[in-house]
PDB file of all heavy atoms in Angstrom:
ATOM      1  N   GLY A 112      11.171  30.515  20.768  1.00 90.00           N
ATOM      2  CA  GLY A 112      11.896  30.923  19.582  1.00 90.00           C
ATOM      3  C   GLY A 112      12.599  32.249  19.817  1.00 90.00           C
ATOM      4  O   GLY A 112      12.617  32.783  20.934  1.00 90.00           O
ATOM      5  N   LEU A 147       6.589  -1.263  13.276  1.00 98.00           N
ATOM      6  CA  LEU A 147       6.579  -0.640  14.591  1.00 98.00           C
ATOM      7  C   LEU A 147       7.452   0.598  14.519  1.00 98.00           C
ATOM      8  O   LEU A 147       8.641   0.500  14.205  1.00 98.00           O
ATOM      9  CB  LEU A 147       7.101  -1.585  15.673  1.00 98.00           C
ATOM     10  CG  LEU A 147       7.097  -1.019  17.098  1.00 98.00           C
ATOM     11  CD1 LEU A 147       5.664  -0.793  17.581  1.00 98.00           C
ATOM     12  CD2 LEU A 147       7.851  -1.925  18.063  1.00 98.00           C
ATOM     13  N   LEU A 149       8.663   4.522  16.238  1.00 98.00           N
ATOM     14  CA  LEU A 149       8.737   5.464  17.353  1.00 98.00           C
ATOM     15  C   LEU A 149       8.676   6.860  16.753  1.00 98.00           C
ATOM     16  O   LEU A 149       9.524   7.230  15.928  1.00 98.00           O
ATOM     17  CB  LEU A 149      10.024   5.285  18.152  1.00 98.00           C
ATOM     18  CG  LEU A 149      10.196   6.248  19.337  1.00 98.00           C
ATOM     19  CD1 LEU A 149       9.161   5.955  20.420  1.00 98.00           C
ATOM     20  CD2 LEU A 149      11.607   6.161  19.912  1.00 98.00           C
ATOM     21  N   ALA A 156       9.304   9.993  12.349  1.00 96.00           N
ATOM     22  CA  ALA A 156       9.679   8.655  12.790  1.00 96.00           C
ATOM     23  C   ALA A 156      11.159   8.646  13.174  1.00 96.00           C
ATOM     24  O   ALA A 156      12.021   8.891  12.338  1.00 96.00           O
ATOM     25  CB  ALA A 156       9.402   7.638  11.699  1.00 96.00           C
ATOM     26  N   ALA A 158      12.587   5.901  14.655  1.00 97.00           N
ATOM     27  CA  ALA A 158      13.062   4.539  14.423  1.00 97.00           C
ATOM     28  C   ALA A 158      11.900   3.704  13.931  1.00 97.00           C
ATOM     29  O   ALA A 158      10.734   3.995  14.239  1.00 97.00           O
ATOM     30  CB  ALA A 158      13.642   3.939  15.706  1.00 97.00           C
ATOM     31  N   LYS A 162       8.337  -6.250   9.748  1.00 93.00           N
ATOM     32  CA  LYS A 162       8.315  -7.700   9.559  1.00 93.00           C
ATOM     33  C   LYS A 162       7.373  -8.019   8.404  1.00 93.00           C
ATOM     34  O   LYS A 162       6.200  -7.615   8.425  1.00 93.00           O
ATOM     35  CB  LYS A 162       7.846  -8.421  10.822  1.00 93.00           C
ATOM     36  CG  LYS A 162       7.851  -9.950  10.671  1.00 93.00           C
ATOM     37  CD  LYS A 162       7.527 -10.637  11.974  1.00 93.00           C
ATOM     38  CE  LYS A 162       7.607 -12.162  11.823  1.00 93.00           C
ATOM     39  NZ  LYS A 162       8.975 -12.606  11.449  1.00 93.00           N
ATOM     40  N   LEU A 180      10.553  -3.850  20.068  1.00 97.00           N
ATOM     41  CA  LEU A 180      10.385  -2.705  20.957  1.00 97.00           C
ATOM     42  C   LEU A 180      11.694  -2.220  21.572  1.00 97.00           C
ATOM     43  O   LEU A 180      11.970  -1.004  21.550  1.00 97.00           O
ATOM     44  CB  LEU A 180       9.367  -3.027  22.047  1.00 97.00           C
ATOM     45  CG  LEU A 180       9.083  -1.920  23.064  1.00 97.00           C
ATOM     46  CD1 LEU A 180       8.625  -0.636  22.363  1.00 97.00           C
ATOM     47  CD2 LEU A 180       8.054  -2.372  24.087  1.00 97.00           C
ATOM     48  N   GLU A 182      14.719  -2.380  20.436  1.00 96.00           N
ATOM     49  CA  GLU A 182      15.529  -1.767  19.384  1.00 96.00           C
ATOM     50  C   GLU A 182      14.980  -0.393  18.998  1.00 96.00           C
ATOM     51  O   GLU A 182      15.734   0.556  18.797  1.00 96.00           O
ATOM     52  CB  GLU A 182      15.563  -2.682  18.156  1.00 96.00           C
ATOM     53  CG  GLU A 182      16.116  -4.072  18.419  1.00 96.00           C
ATOM     54  CD  GLU A 182      15.988  -4.970  17.208  1.00 96.00           C
ATOM     55  OE1 GLU A 182      15.538  -4.479  16.139  1.00 96.00           O
ATOM     56  OE2 GLU A 182      16.311  -6.169  17.312  1.00 96.00           O
ATOM     57  N   ASP A 221      -8.937 -17.166  12.252  1.00 93.00           N
ATOM     58  CA  ASP A 221     -10.044 -17.121  13.214  1.00 93.00           C
ATOM     59  C   ASP A 221      -9.569 -16.765  14.615  1.00 93.00           C
ATOM     60  O   ASP A 221     -10.380 -16.366  15.463  1.00 93.00           O
ATOM     61  CB  ASP A 221     -10.773 -18.465  13.245  1.00 93.00           C
ATOM     62  CG  ASP A 221     -11.784 -18.598  12.113  1.00 93.00           C
ATOM     63  OD1 ASP A 221     -12.126 -17.564  11.501  1.00 93.00           O
ATOM     64  OD2 ASP A 221     -12.232 -19.729  11.844  1.00 93.00           O
ATOM     65  N   ASP A 245      -7.084   0.637  10.206  1.00 95.00           N
ATOM     66  CA  ASP A 245      -5.819   1.083   9.626  1.00 95.00           C
ATOM     67  C   ASP A 245      -5.975   2.272   8.677  1.00 95.00           C
ATOM     68  O   ASP A 245      -5.184   3.221   8.725  1.00 95.00           O
ATOM     69  CB  ASP A 245      -5.093  -0.063   8.927  1.00 95.00           C
ATOM     70  CG  ASP A 245      -5.927  -0.741   7.846  1.00 95.00           C
ATOM     71  OD1 ASP A 245      -7.168  -0.588   7.838  1.00 95.00           O
ATOM     72  OD2 ASP A 245      -5.336  -1.446   7.003  1.00 95.00           O
ATOM     73  N   PHE A 256      -0.451  15.271  11.170  1.00 95.00           N
ATOM     74  CA  PHE A 256       0.927  15.511  10.751  1.00 95.00           C
ATOM     75  C   PHE A 256       1.061  16.026   9.318  1.00 95.00           C
ATOM     76  O   PHE A 256       2.166  16.357   8.891  1.00 95.00           O
ATOM     77  CB  PHE A 256       1.747  14.219  10.859  1.00 95.00           C
ATOM     78  CG  PHE A 256       1.803  13.637  12.235  1.00 95.00           C
ATOM     79  CD1 PHE A 256       1.616  12.265  12.427  1.00 95.00           C
ATOM     80  CD2 PHE A 256       2.039  14.428  13.342  1.00 95.00           C
ATOM     81  CE1 PHE A 256       1.682  11.699  13.696  1.00 95.00           C
ATOM     82  CE2 PHE A 256       2.098  13.876  14.623  1.00 95.00           C
ATOM     83  CZ  PHE A 256       1.924  12.516  14.793  1.00 95.00           C
ATOM     84  N   TYR A 269      -6.918   5.508   1.061  1.00 97.00           N
ATOM     85  CA  TYR A 269      -5.575   4.968   1.297  1.00 97.00           C
ATOM     86  C   TYR A 269      -5.443   3.600   0.633  1.00 97.00           C
ATOM     87  O   TYR A 269      -6.238   2.696   0.885  1.00 97.00           O
ATOM     88  CB  TYR A 269      -5.261   4.841   2.788  1.00 97.00           C
ATOM     89  CG  TYR A 269      -3.819   4.451   3.017  1.00 97.00           C
ATOM     90  CD1 TYR A 269      -2.824   5.417   3.081  1.00 97.00           C
ATOM     91  CD2 TYR A 269      -3.445   3.110   3.102  1.00 97.00           C
ATOM     92  CE1 TYR A 269      -1.485   5.066   3.232  1.00 97.00           C
ATOM     93  CE2 TYR A 269      -2.112   2.755   3.253  1.00 97.00           C
ATOM     94  CZ  TYR A 269      -1.147   3.734   3.322  1.00 97.00           C
ATOM     95  OH  TYR A 269       0.176   3.391   3.456  1.00 97.00           O
ATOM     96  N   PHE A 273      -5.629  -3.762   0.214  1.00 90.00           N
ATOM     97  CA  PHE A 273      -6.918  -3.332  -0.317  1.00 90.00           C
ATOM     98  C   PHE A 273      -6.986  -1.814  -0.184  1.00 90.00           C
ATOM     99  O   PHE A 273      -5.996  -1.166   0.125  1.00 90.00           O
ATOM    100  CB  PHE A 273      -8.061  -4.035   0.422  1.00 90.00           C
ATOM    101  CG  PHE A 273      -7.978  -5.526   0.327  1.00 90.00           C
ATOM    102  CD1 PHE A 273      -7.750  -6.298   1.461  1.00 90.00           C
ATOM    103  CD2 PHE A 273      -8.088  -6.169  -0.889  1.00 90.00           C
ATOM    104  CE1 PHE A 273      -7.647  -7.679   1.379  1.00 90.00           C
ATOM    105  CE2 PHE A 273      -7.992  -7.552  -0.988  1.00 90.00           C
ATOM    106  CZ  PHE A 273      -7.765  -8.307   0.146  1.00 90.00           C
ATOM    107  N   ASP A 352      -5.262   3.578 -14.374  1.00 97.00           N
ATOM    108  CA  ASP A 352      -6.453   4.116 -15.033  1.00 97.00           C
ATOM    109  C   ASP A 352      -7.731   3.484 -14.479  1.00 97.00           C
ATOM    110  O   ASP A 352      -8.725   4.182 -14.248  1.00 97.00           O
ATOM    111  CB  ASP A 352      -6.366   3.896 -16.541  1.00 97.00           C
ATOM    112  CG  ASP A 352      -7.201   4.906 -17.300  1.00 97.00           C
ATOM    113  OD1 ASP A 352      -6.922   6.117 -17.190  1.00 97.00           O
ATOM    114  OD2 ASP A 352      -8.152   4.490 -17.990  1.00 97.00           O
ATOM    115  N   ILE A 369     -22.393  14.220   1.003  1.00 93.00           N
ATOM    116  CA  ILE A 369     -21.751  15.143   1.947  1.00 93.00           C
ATOM    117  C   ILE A 369     -21.112  16.267   1.151  1.00 93.00           C
ATOM    118  O   ILE A 369     -20.494  16.017   0.114  1.00 93.00           O
ATOM    119  CB  ILE A 369     -20.667  14.431   2.774  1.00 93.00           C
ATOM    120  CG1 ILE A 369     -21.249  13.206   3.478  1.00 93.00           C
ATOM    121  CG2 ILE A 369     -20.037  15.374   3.788  1.00 93.00           C
ATOM    122  CD1 ILE A 369     -20.191  12.324   4.102  1.00 93.00           C
ATOM    123  N   MET A 380       2.844   3.381  -1.906  1.00 96.00           N
ATOM    124  CA  MET A 380       3.225   3.443  -3.315  1.00 96.00           C
ATOM    125  C   MET A 380       4.247   4.552  -3.535  1.00 96.00           C
ATOM    126  O   MET A 380       4.369   5.470  -2.710  1.00 96.00           O
ATOM    127  CB  MET A 380       1.987   3.716  -4.189  1.00 96.00           C
ATOM    128  CG  MET A 380       1.292   5.036  -3.890  1.00 96.00           C
ATOM    129  SD  MET A 380      -0.177   5.333  -4.918  1.00 96.00           S
ATOM    130  CE  MET A 380      -1.245   3.998  -4.425  1.00 96.00           C
ATOM    131  N   ALA A 402     -23.625  17.733 -12.614  1.00 95.00           N
ATOM    132  CA  ALA A 402     -24.708  18.692 -12.415  1.00 95.00           C
ATOM    133  C   ALA A 402     -25.269  18.563 -11.005  1.00 95.00           C
ATOM    134  O   ALA A 402     -25.594  17.464 -10.542  1.00 95.00           O
ATOM    135  CB  ALA A 402     -25.819  18.450 -13.441  1.00 95.00           C
ATOM    136  N   GLY A 405     -21.369  20.259  -5.904  1.00 91.00           N
ATOM    137  CA  GLY A 405     -20.457  21.378  -5.654  1.00 91.00           C
ATOM    138  C   GLY A 405     -19.038  21.068  -6.090  1.00 91.00           C
ATOM    139  O   GLY A 405     -18.686  19.912  -6.349  1.00 91.00           O
ATOM    140  N   THR A 413      -0.208  13.719   1.807  1.00 96.00           N
ATOM    141  CA  THR A 413       1.152  14.226   2.010  1.00 96.00           C
ATOM    142  C   THR A 413       2.020  13.320   2.877  1.00 96.00           C
ATOM    143  O   THR A 413       3.192  13.631   3.090  1.00 96.00           O
ATOM    144  CB  THR A 413       1.120  15.619   2.662  1.00 96.00           C
ATOM    145  OG1 THR A 413       0.551  15.525   3.976  1.00 96.00           O
ATOM    146  CG2 THR A 413       0.288  16.590   1.834  1.00 96.00           C
TER     147      THR A 413
END
Side-chain angles (χ1 to χ4, degrees):
L147 181 66
L149 179 67
K162 182 174 183 62
L180 180 56
E182 302 174 4
D221 278 345
D245 56 342
F256 301 135
Y269 187 86
F273 302 114
D352 205 61
I369 305 170
M380 61 181 63
T413 64

